[in-house]
């Protein structure tokens, strides 16, 4: 009797070893899955930290920690390095020809700058970080984010559009000596840039007007998207954010912001024309914008800002041209001018980083354009005609790939990537990446567009 029980107990504990092993393997796999999910969560959190630092880095440098304004210029770099490290560890950063090419040029550029170019290591590293630290984030964000994550970030942009519009209104109507207009490092001369009729272009929470333009340009993409998908967001938030955008256009005194919003509107109309079920929604959305515009036009503050914007628009159009001056001469003219002058540049350029503001400060002791004001001219001047044109090609190539994929999504009813593409095409090919804020918004914009291509939560 006892021997029978002993034998039975033995079978229960050891005779079913294969079953126990399978169970143990399953537990181990679940543990690994939990670890993987946890690490992915940390990557996403780091991306959000990068995003918020992008939005408020200027505020830290101007108002909160002005004595740390110089190191805070690269405050996002450690976050970017952490994201890359975690992505490589999780095998989320798959090598591709664009990433490999850009990274290789970044590394080679450091050596050519040191031994053939300007010879300053700090300047070379600052220039190379664009390709080695920030550019890879485009692929990582696109890999770990999905459409749901992108929509969440879009909602945050809308929430921030209202206080940002209020802030630039205060900056617009306040003297440059006011606290709200203090420059980087607490500069009492102010952070506003020359505008029109005695008013300055307000920088918002950023260090320069380019940040305001980039912020509202990206927010405009989501505003148009939510106008087509109003069920995804509070209508009160949508309409107040729309009002914030309409207010920001004249207050910014920026033609770039105005034309960028127009381009986004055109992309939205193209998307609607390919998917007729959205036709009624875009009509209602545009009518809502017209109503908001009419209401704003009856306020004195908006009328004053509109006069300043109109004056700036007319004066600049006389000297630079209207639509042609902003979207044609600046966009295509930059490439033509860079190609024409490429034969005059050293084969390996003057050294990576030399064309940035930081580079000019470290090399000359003042902020000036040592190479070129245009992005493509800067790239060729820093890296030489071969590597410079290669970087330009890679930036155009990634824009093209994103563009083709976004267009295909229209027929599936996913319009978000296509609408975001309007931002990508104006910032990734020749956005002024020497400016850290523009670089950050370009990376975020391109990464979000890739992420928006994924309707599911799969990575």
């Amino acid at each position: 009797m006892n021997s029978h029980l002993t034998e039975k107990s033995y079978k229960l504990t050891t005779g079913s070893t294969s079953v126990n092993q399978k169970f143990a393997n399953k537990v181990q796999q679940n543990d690994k899955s939990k670890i993987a999910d946890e690490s992915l969560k940390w990557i996403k959190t780091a991306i959000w930290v990068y995003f918020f630092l992008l939005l408020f880095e200027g505020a830290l440098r101007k108002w909160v920690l002005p004595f740390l304004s110089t190191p805070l210029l690269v405050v996002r770099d450690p976050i970017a390095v952490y994201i890359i490290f975690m992505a490589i560890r999780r095998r989320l950063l798959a090598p591709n020809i664009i990433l490999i090419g850009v990274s290789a040029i970044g590394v080679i550029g450091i050596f050519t700058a040191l031994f053939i170019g300007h010879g300053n290591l700090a300047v070379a590293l600052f220039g190379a970080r664009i390709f080695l630290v920030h550019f890879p984030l485009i692929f990582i964000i696109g890999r770990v984010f999905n459409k749901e994550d992108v929509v969440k970030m879009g909602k945050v942009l809308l929430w921030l559009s209202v206080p940002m519009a209020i802030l630039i209104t205060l900056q617009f109507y306040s003297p440059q000596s006011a606290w709200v207009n203090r420059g980087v490092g607490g500069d009492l001369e102010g952070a506003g840039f020359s505008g029109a009729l005695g008013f300055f272009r307000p920088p918002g929470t950023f260090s320069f007007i380019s940040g305001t333009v980039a912020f509202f340009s990206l927010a405009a993409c989501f505003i148009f998207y939510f106008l087509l998908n109003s069920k995804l967001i509070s209508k009160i938030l949508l309409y107040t954010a729309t009002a914030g955008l309409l207010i920001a256009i004249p207050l910014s005194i920026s033609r770039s912001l105005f034309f960028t919003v127009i381009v986004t509107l055109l992309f939205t109309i193209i998307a609607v024309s390919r998917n007729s079920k959205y036709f009624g929604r875009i009509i209602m959305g545009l009518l809502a914008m017209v109503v908001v515009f009419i209401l704003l036009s009856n306020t004195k503050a908006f009328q004053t800002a509109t006069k300043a914007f109109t004056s700036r628009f007319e004066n600049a159009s006389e000297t630079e041209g209207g639509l042609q001056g902003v979207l044609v001469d600046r966009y295509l003219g930059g490439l033509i001018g860079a190609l024409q002058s490429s034969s005059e540049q050293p084969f390996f350029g003057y050294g990576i980083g030399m064309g940035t503001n930081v580079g000019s400060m470290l090399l000359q002791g003042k902020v000036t354009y040592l190479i070129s004001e245009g992005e493509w001219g800067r790239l060729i001047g820093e890296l030489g005609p071969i590597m410079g044109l290669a970087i330009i090609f890679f930036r155009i190539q990634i824009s093209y790939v994103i563009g083709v994929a976004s267009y295909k999504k229209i027929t599936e009813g996913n319009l978000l990537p296509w609408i975001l593409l309007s931002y990508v095409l104006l910032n990734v090919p020749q956005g002024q990446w020497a400016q850290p804020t523009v670089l950050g918004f370009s990376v975020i914009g391109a990464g979000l567009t890739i992420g928006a291509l994924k309707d599911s939560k799969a990575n």
Side-chain angles (χ1 to χ4, degrees), residues 79-190:
I79 306 300
V81 171
Y82 170 79
I83 294 171
I84 293 172
F85 171 77
M86 291 295 291
I88 293 175
R89 188 177 179 184
R90 276 287 319 273
R91 298 182 180 180
L92 295 174
L93 187 58
N96 58 72
I97 187 62
I98 297 176
L99 181 60
I100 293 173
V102 170
S103 299
I105 291 174
V107 173
I108 295 171
I110 295 175
F111 291 98
T112 57
L114 291 178
F115 299 108
I116 302 175
H118 52 68
N120 189 302
L121 178 60
V123 174
L125 291 176
F126 184 82
R129 62 182 250 295
I130 296 173
F131 308 130
L132 300 177
V133 176
H134 292 272
F135 184 79
L137 296 188
I138 293 176
F139 301 96
I140 299 173
I141 296 172
R143 181 70 184 276
V144 303
F145 268 33
N146 53 53
K147 186 179 177 182
E148 182 181 353
D149 297 308
V150 176
V151 169
K152 287 179 181 178
M153 193 164 282
K155 289 180 179 179
V156 171
L157 282 171
L158 263 66
W159 275 109
L160 294 175
S161 294
V162 178
M164 189 71 76
I166 294 173
L167 175 60
I168 66 173
T169 301
L170 293 174
Q171 292 174 332
F172 183 86
Y173 285 103
S174 299
Q176 289 298 294
S177 58
W179 180 83
V180 75
N181 277 321
R182 283 187 183 178
V184 171
D187 185 3
L188 297 178
E189 293 185 4

Side-chain angles (χ1 to χ4, degrees), residues 16-17 47 52 57 78 88 113 126 135 176 254 268 281 340 342 354 419 456:
S16 56
T17 303
I47 293 171
F52 281 114
E57 155 194 312
I88 293 175
F126 184 82
F135 184 79
Q176 289 298 294
S254 171
T268 305
R281 300 180 191 179
Q340 290 176 341
S342 62
M354 184 174 177
I419 296 175
S456 66

Side-chain angles (χ1 to χ4, degrees), residues 294-313:
I294 292 174
L295 293 174
L296 291 173
S297 298
N298 291 323
T299 64
K300 186 176 180 180
F302 189 80
Q303 292 172 355
T304 302
T306 302
K307 288 180 181 179
F309 174 78
T310 303
S311 176
R312 160 67 185 163
F313 195 99

